[in-house]
Amino acid sequence: MNRLRNLNPLLFGLLGLALVAALLVVFWPKADQRYVTAEFPQTVSLYEGSDVKILGVPVGSVDTVRPAGEKVVVTFHYDAQYKVPADAKAVIISPSVVGDRFIQLTPVWNGGATLEDHARLGLDRTAMPLELDQIFASVNQLAVALGPEGVNKPDATGVGALTRLLDSTARNFGGQGAQFNTTLKNLGKFTQTLSDNKDELFGTLGEIEKFTKTLADNDDVVRRFNDSLAGGADLLAGERQELAAVLENLGVAMRAVRGFVRDNRELLGSNIADLNRLSKILVKRRTQLDEILTTAPVALNNLYIAGDAGSRSLSTRANLAPTFDKLQSDPTTLLCYVLGSYCTDTPLGGVLDALGAAGRTSPFGAARARPDRVVEPIDRSLAGLVEVQR
C-alpha cells in the first residue's frame, strides 16, 4: 500500500484516460457505416440481419423491421466505403420462391452526388417483388373473367362469345399454318431491316421534326397561306358555273381546232415547213437584218421629209452652181464632163475620142458595131432572203 502511495498521481491519470478511450472505441458507433430508413408496402421474408447488397455483393444488413400503419419501416446500414447515388432506390429481391430475401440498392454509382447518411426513402423510391399468392389471384381473376360467368357467358343460342371467337379463329387459320409462318418470318425480316437502318430511320424522323418545327416557327405565315388558299377555294366555288362554262367552251374550241388541223394537215405542214425555212433564213441573215433595222428608220424619215404632198413628188436639190462656174472658166472640162469624161491632152482630141466612144469613126461617119449587151441574171431570192422552189 505504501508503494502505491509513492507512485506519481500523473501515472494514475494516464491510466484512467487510456481506459476511457478503450471503452469509447468498443461502444461508440462506428463512423464507417451509413444508415438508411426505407418504407415498403410489405416485407415478406425480410428480417433483422437480412443482407443489404449492391450488384449482389453484401455491403450491409437490416437493423430493424417494424410496421407503421399501412406500410413497413425498415432501417438498414451499409459500409461507407461503398458509394450510393443520391437518387438510389431500395428494392427487395427474392432469390427463390422459398427463402430469405435481401435489399438491393440500385442503380450503381457512376459519379456525382452520393446518398446522405440517415437518408429516408419513401414508397416512391422502394419496390418489392410480386408475391406468389398475388400471381395466383391474378390468374384466378383472369379465369373467372374468361369463364362462363364472364365474357364466355352463354347467350340465347347457348354458346359464349369466347367460344365463338375461338371457333371462328380456328376455322380462319385452319390450313393456313404455312402462310402464317411465312407472315411471321417476313415480319421478322421487316423488324430486322428496321433495326439495321435505325440510324436512317431516326435521321428521317429528325428531319420530320425539323420540318414540323419550321412550320411551328412560321405559324403565322402558314396560317395566312391557308387563309389565302381557303379564299381561292371560296372564289372558285363562287364562280364554279362560269368556270364550268369556260371549260365547256374550251372543250368546244379544242374540238374545232382538232377538226381544223385534221382537215388542213397538209397545208399546215407546208406552212410550218416554210416558216421553218424562213426562220433559218432570218437566222442566216441576222447581220443584214440588224443593219436594215438600224438604218431603215433613218432612211424612211428622210424619205418622208423629201416627199412633197402637194406635187406628189420628191423634192431634190441639184448643185448646179459649180457647173456654171466651170462653163465660164473652163468650158472644155465641162464638155468633157458632159460627154463622159473622154478627154485627151487637146480639147479636139477629146471631142473626137468622145465621138469614137459613142460608136462613130468620124463626126459624120457610120456607127460602129456595139458589143453584145450583158444581161445579169435575175435574183429571185433577193440575195438569199427568201427561198425559191426550183
Side-chain angles (χ1 to χ4, degrees), residues 71-384:
K71 58 187 177 181
V72 180
V73 179
V74 178
T75 303
F76 61 89
H77 67 273
Y78 64 93
D79 293 340
Q81 62 177 334
Y82 300 104
K83 294 183 179 181
V84 179
D87 58 347
K89 297 182 180 180
V91 182
I92 297 178
I93 303 297
S94 177
S96 60
V97 177
V98 179
D100 293 343
R101 300 178 177 182
F102 62 88
I103 295 177
Q104 179 95 342
L105 295 176
T106 184
V108 181
W109 182 79
N110 289 321
T114 57
L115 189 66
E116 297 179 356
D117 191 15
H118 297 286
R120 190 176 186 88
L121 306 180
L123 293 175
D124 58 334
R125 298 181 61 181
T126 59
M128 54 176 294
L130 189 63
E131 301 297 339
L132 188 59
D133 56 349
Q134 294 177 341
I135 297 175
F136 290 156
S138 299
V139 173
N140 182 54
Q141 292 176 359
L142 179 62
V144 172
L146 297 178
E149 299 298 330
V151 296
N152 200 31
K153 186 176 181 179
D155 54 8
T157 60
V159 181
L162 182 59
T163 302
R164 290 197 303 270
L165 175 62
L166 294 177
D167 292 341
S168 177
T169 303
R171 288 193 301 269
N172 291 330
F173 283 95
Q176 304 296 327
Q179 295 184 2
F180 188 68
N181 183 30
T182 303
T183 302
L184 292 179
K185 289 182 179 179
N186 292 334
L187 181 61
K189 293 179 180 179
F190 174 70
T191 55
Q192 182 64 35
T193 302
L194 292 180
S195 177
D196 295 340
N197 297 276
K198 56 182 179 296
D199 295 336
E200 291 78 4
L201 179 61
F202 285 106
T204 302
L205 294 178
E207 295 299 328
I208 294 176
E209 189 273 335
K210 293 179 181 178
F211 175 72
T212 54
K213 185 177 183 301
T214 302
L215 292 180
D217 295 340
N218 298 274
D219 183 68
D220 296 337
V221 178
V222 174
R223 289 179 182 274
R224 289 197 299 270
F225 172 74
N226 291 333
D227 294 339
S228 300
L229 189 61
D234 294 338
L235 178 61
L236 292 178
E239 303 293 336
R240 58 182 179 273
Q241 295 180 354
E242 290 78 3
L243 182 60
V246 169
L247 294 178
E248 183 178 359
N249 295 331
L250 182 61
V252 174
M254 293 301 296
R255 288 194 297 270
V257 170
R258 182 180 61 183
F260 174 78
V261 172
R262 183 181 62 251
D263 298 338
N264 301 276
R265 182 176 301 172
E266 295 181 358
L267 183 60
L268 288 175
S270 177
N271 292 336
I272 293 174
D274 294 340
L275 183 62
N276 182 31
R277 289 193 296 269
L278 177 61
S279 62
K280 291 181 180 179
I281 293 172
L282 293 178
V283 172
K284 182 178 178 181
R285 300 295 181 178
R286 58 182 178 271
T287 303
Q288 292 82 350
L289 288 175
D290 180 70
E291 183 178 357
I292 291 173
L293 294 176
T294 302
T295 58
V298 178
L300 292 176
N301 185 60
N302 294 336
L303 181 62
Y304 172 76
I305 296 174
D308 187 358
S311 61
R312 296 183 179 181
S313 62
L314 294 178
S315 300
T316 58
R317 184 179 63 183
N319 191 9
L320 299 179
T323 303
F324 288 107
D325 293 338
K326 288 288 185 180
L327 181 60
Q328 297 177 0
S329 62
D330 191 0
T332 303
T333 303
L334 177 61
L335 182 61
C336 290
Y337 176 76
V338 172
L339 294 178
S341 299
Y342 295 101
C343 296
T344 57
D345 293 337
T346 62
L348 183 60
V351 172
L352 294 176
D353 290 338
L355 293 175
R360 299 180 181 274
T361 56
S362 63
F364 302 98
R368 292 181 301 177
R370 295 184 179 180
D372 296 336
R373 181 180 179 184
V374 179
V375 180
E376 295 291 337
I378 299 174
D379 186 5
R380 300 183 182 274
S381 64
L382 301 180

Side-chain angles (χ1 to χ4, degrees), residues 31-49:
D32 57 351
Q33 293 181 347
R34 290 179 178 268
Y35 292 86
V36 180
T37 301
E39 299 176 354
F40 293 92
Q42 57 184 358
T43 56
V44 180
S45 299
L46 187 69
Y47 311 101
E48 295 181 2

